[in-house]
Amino acid sequence: MYVQELEPVADSLGLSALVAALPLVIVLVLLGGVRMKAHLAGLTGLLMAVAVAWLAYGMPLDQTASSAAQGAAFGLFPILWIVVNALWVYRMTVRTRHFDILRRSFGRLSDDPRIQALVVAFCFGALLEALAGFGAPVAICSVMLVALGFEPVRAAVVALVANTAPVAFGAMGTPVVTLAQVTDLPLDTVASVVGRQTPLLALVVPLVLVGLVDGRRGLRETWVPALACGVAFAIAQFAASNYVSAQLADIGAALAGAGALVAVPSARKPAAEPVRAAVLTGVRSEELDEDDPRTEVVRAYAPYALIVAVFSVAQIPAVKDWLAQATQSYDWPFLNVVNPDGDPVSGNVFTWPIVSTGGTLVLLAGVCTAVVLGVHARVAVREWAATVHELRFAILTVTSVLALAYVMNLSGQAATIGHFVAAAGTGLAFLSPLLGWFGVAVTGSDTSANALFGALQVTAARESGLSPELLASANSSGGVLGKMISPQNLTIACAAVGLAGREGDLLRKVLPWSLGLLLVMCLIVVGQSSPVLEWMLP
């Protein structure tokens, strides 16, 4: 049996916290300062976490290795299981050219570039974030905007800023699922609180986007459809995350936002030529003038409709209970950890939701997609293997970061840091989103930031008397605003629109928006931690 200690270094909480923070510091420095590749930085941080657990905390080496193995296993299933299958569906639409049909369909909804930015970057980007995440929305939406005639820098900036409100529920809820797992908080509770924070961003982001596209004139002339889109998105995200399913939150929000946008009469009006001339300074793709058969347009939308249908059916109580019967729980080998009070920690048991997990449901939708799009089984399998190969470094990054997080959590390193940070008292409510923002800015992933800092936030909250659910959720909600300035996302955006080497230019354009929206989120969390906005929490 391994008993966690809070002050293993010289019986000092401060020194112990300093040593415990070394793995995180190394990862952040290697990523943000040295610019080391994420998977190498993650592996280096993991080695340091193992060394600290073994040498400073006295955790037996076999239990330390077992902790890392469990973290890596959780990274593979369910996290990467969701991502691989979601990107597989996208790859099949690209292979059959139905993605091009979808892109042309969006271009015909409105010839107003400000509305196009909302449809493509905000609504469709949210749908892509829901299905895949991990940079896919920025890359795909940037390319689509350039094809519509947007200047490359403007297209990249719009795609980056738009990729905020849906991030916490991206990749079929992977960030909040990870957060619930590493903090041992109920998923429904975490999703509910996050669903009462990020929708407030959705009210603002569409207005920011039309301002980015066309300045004050854009705000003056299109604020009504932008606000309608944001309100519909926010209401749907709140409702789905609180009363339906975290996995469906972004899908429902994206569809609701797009529906509201199309329903506003002014959104369908042709744009004035001065607006188009001022905004569309790029070259419009001639492919947009092609006519597509109605049946092919329906097939282009089918994959996303199938995913919504499969997840909706899976939420029916009888079906949900039936799927849950396949869930397996195991006593994780070589792991017997108790907290300082002598209570066993949840990490001793590993739960494997084989069928009910999001990745398996996306796989089922993907099989249906292959049938609808006419993809031969052999080709579909080849595309799945190609997806795994494409994500090989992301797989290594996620598994190493989750392994690092599990070692830190089970050895007691996260608890030590949490007790030390708790000295900030009520100021934690303001700092909590900032920590999540910093984590995502460096790692490029809300999932990784939640894995790194989730348990720390909960420990600090309990020590300071604040709500653990609030601070854990604030880590994810604040983290979404660091996505647009992460080196990985900036690189993806530049590569997508042919601006390799100009990441600094994009950073200077999006940083003020990232910081401004972060301040808003910090104030929201402070309000929710006090009687002012406490009524917002479940």
Side-chain angles (χ1 to χ4, degrees):
M1 179 183 295
Y2 169 69
V3 182
Q4 295 175 340
E5 290 186 61
L6 294 179
E7 303 176 355
V9 180
D11 292 326
S12 168
L13 184 61
L15 288 176
S16 299
L18 188 63
V19 172
L22 284 176
L24 294 179
V25 171
I26 284 178
V27 171
L28 299 179
V29 169
L30 291 179
L31 279 174
V34 181
R35 300 293 179 89
M36 179 182 285
K37 292 185 182 299
H39 63 281
L40 296 178
L43 289 172
T44 305
L46 171 59
L47 291 176
M48 177 55 70
V50 169
V52 171
W54 181 35
L55 300 175
Y57 279 75
M59 188 178 198
L61 194 55
D62 59 340
Q63 296 213 45
T64 304
S66 183
S67 301
Q70 184 179 161
F74 179 71
L76 289 172
F77 194 98
I79 294 177
L80 289 164
W81 182 235
I82 297 172
V83 177
V84 167
N85 290 323
L87 284 179
W88 172 56
V89 173
Y90 163 69
R91 284 182 64 100
M92 286 193 291
T93 66
V94 172
R95 183 180 182 88
T96 59
R97 304 192 68 81
H98 283 89
F99 181 75
D100 293 332
I101 296 173
L102 189 68
R103 178 165 54 87
R104 289 193 288 269
S105 175
F106 287 158
R108 296 188 191 103
L109 288 176
S110 172
D111 74 343
D112 189 327
R114 299 163 299 190
I115 303 302
Q116 290 175 344
L118 293 177
V119 172
V120 173
F122 188 69
C123 297
F124 186 59
L127 186 60
L128 290 173
E129 183 67 38
L131 302 179
F134 291 88
V138 170
I140 296 168
C141 292
S142 296
V143 172
M144 291 179 71
L145 291 174
V146 170
L148 291 170
F150 279 68
E151 188 268 331
V153 171
R154 197 194 308 263
V157 169
V158 168
L160 285 166
V161 175
N163 191 219
T164 49
V167 168
F169 296 104
M172 294 300 174
T174 298
V176 291
V177 169
T178 303
L179 184 63
Q181 180 75 16
V182 300
T183 58
D184 202 25
L185 295 174
L187 173 59
D188 290 343
T189 303
V190 172
S192 294
V193 179
V194 174
R196 295 163 193 244
Q197 294 170 341
T198 56
L200 299 177
L201 293 177
L203 299 174
V204 179
V205 172
L207 297 171
V208 172
L209 293 179
V210 296
L212 286 171
V213 172
D214 195 29
R216 293 182 180 178
R217 178 177 58 187
L219 277 172
R220 185 173 63 252
E221 296 180 1
T222 58
W223 70 269
V224 173
L227 188 60
C229 177
V231 169
F233 186 102
I235 291 174
Q237 191 182 60
F238 161 75
S241 60
N242 277 265
Y243 305 113
V244 183
S245 164
Q247 287 87 347
L248 289 176
D250 279 348
I251 294 177
L255 297 176
L261 191 59
V262 173
V264 177
S266 60
R268 304 301 298 272
K269 292 180 179 179
E273 192 55 38
V275 173
R276 292 181 56 79
V279 176
L280 300 181
T281 54
V283 178
R284 186 173 184 267
S285 174
E286 294 181 359
E287 290 183 2
L288 295 175
D289 298 324
E290 295 182 19
D291 290 327
D292 298 305
R294 186 180 298 273
T295 54
E296 292 303 305
V297 174
V298 171
R299 292 175 74 192
Y301 281 91
Y304 309 104
L306 285 169
I307 290 176
V308 173
V310 169
F311 271 84
S312 298
V313 171
Q315 297 308 312
I316 298 173
V319 177
K320 191 173 183 177
D321 293 340
W322 179 68
L323 294 175
Q325 291 177 6
T327 299
Q328 302 289 325
S329 294
Y330 306 94
D331 289 330
W332 192 258
F334 308 110
L335 201 61
N336 184 14
V337 181
V338 297
N339 64 24
D341 296 327
D343 301 320
V345 301
S346 60
N348 294 329
V349 177
F350 184 77
T351 302
W352 189 18
I354 304 172
V355 181
S356 60
T357 188
T360 303
L361 298 179
V362 175
L363 178 66
L364 175 60
V367 172
C368 297
T369 294
V371 174
V372 171
L373 299 185
V375 180
H376 192 278
R378 183 175 59 256
V379 176
V381 171
R382 191 184 305 130
E383 287 295 325
W384 193 91
T387 303
V388 174
H389 182 265
E390 179 184 336
L391 291 174
R392 61 192 183 282
F393 293 119
I395 291 172
L396 189 54
T397 299
V398 171
T399 52
S400 61
V401 168
L402 264 296
L404 180 155
Y406 268 60
V407 170
M408 290 191 65
N409 293 342
L410 291 173
S411 66
Q413 296 173 57
T416 297
I417 299 173
H419 280 73
F420 181 74
V421 173
T426 55
L428 272 175
F430 186 86
L431 296 175
S432 186
L434 184 62
L435 187 60
W437 173 85
F438 183 68
V440 176
V442 173
T443 67
S445 166
D446 200 36
T447 298
S448 296
N450 286 343
L452 289 173
F453 299 132
L456 186 156
Q457 297 265 24
V458 167
T459 302
R462 287 172 175 153
E463 287 300 305
S464 60
L466 294 172
S467 164
E469 293 82 4
L470 175 61
L471 293 201
S473 301
N475 190 84
S476 190
S477 298
V480 306
L481 299 169
K483 190 93 169 179
M484 70 179 83
I485 65 168
S486 69
Q488 293 92 321
N489 254 23
L490 291 171
T491 301
I492 289 171
C494 284
V497 299
L499 296 174
R502 296 186 59 183
E503 289 85 356
D505 294 341
L506 290 187
L507 178 61
R508 284 189 289 273
K509 289 182 178 295
V510 299
L511 182 59
W513 294 109
S514 179
L515 293 174
L517 292 172
L518 174 64
L519 177 60
V520 172
M521 182 55 65
C522 289
L523 294 176
I524 289 171
V525 175
V526 169
Q528 291 177 334
S529 70
S530 69
V532 178
L533 296 179
E534 189 178 19
W535 53 270
M536 291 181 63
L537 299 180

